[in-house]
Amino acid sequence: TRLRCRAVADGKVGWITLKSSTATQWSPVYHCLEETALSENLDAEVGAKIRNLEPGETIELLEGPREDPTTGALRLKGRAATDKAVGWASLSTKDGNQLLECVTPEPN
């Protein structure tokens, strides 16, 4: 099976051959693994902090992931399930520790 897709890293569009070893299922829901800030702006150093996402919380993807222009970190704009707060959150720390994890959908 061939799929047309867009790369997160550079936004380029192309085709991939779908194999279990080359692609994983995706959903627009992310699970918070470590406390991380939810902020107003894609650039984490510019926008004010709205609040912290707590471990175990879920956030629905609204936009992104996109690269933070200052730090280069991948960030997503999402809506927190608990209070519907909307903002930008980093997927991982500068050291590479994962903060948000995509929740894979249940198989049909």
Side-chain angles (χ1 to χ4, degrees):
T1 304
R2 304 261 305 152
L3 296 173
R4 187 175 172 134
C5 56
R6 181 184 319 271
V8 172
D10 59 10
K12 291 184 179 176
V13 176
W15 291 88
I16 64 166
T17 300
L18 185 61
K19 297 179 186 174
S20 61
S21 62
T22 60
T24 58
Q25 290 189 353
W26 176 86
S27 85
V29 178
Y30 285 76
H31 181 78
C32 183
L33 301 174
E34 291 185 36
E35 184 176 289
T36 186
L38 188 65
S39 57
E40 294 178 341
N41 200 301
L42 169 63
D43 187 334
E45 296 180 6
V46 173
K49 183 168 87 170
I50 297 168
R51 70 173 184 85
N52 284 332
L53 292 173
E54 300 296 328
E57 266 192 270
T58 58
I59 183 168
E60 176 190 8
L61 177 73
L62 300 176
E63 184 180 335
R66 291 182 36 202
E67 188 176 312
D68 181 322
T70 303
T71 66
L74 282 179
R75 292 173 52 82
L76 64 80
K77 185 174 186 178
R79 179 183 300 116
T82 53
D83 61 359
K84 308 299 184 209
V86 174
W88 290 88
S90 295
L91 293 172
S92 61
T93 65
K94 293 176 187 175
D95 300 331
N97 295 332
Q98 194 172 1
L99 299 170
L100 301 175
E101 176 180 56
C102 185
V103 176
T104 55
E106 294 293 322
N108 294 336

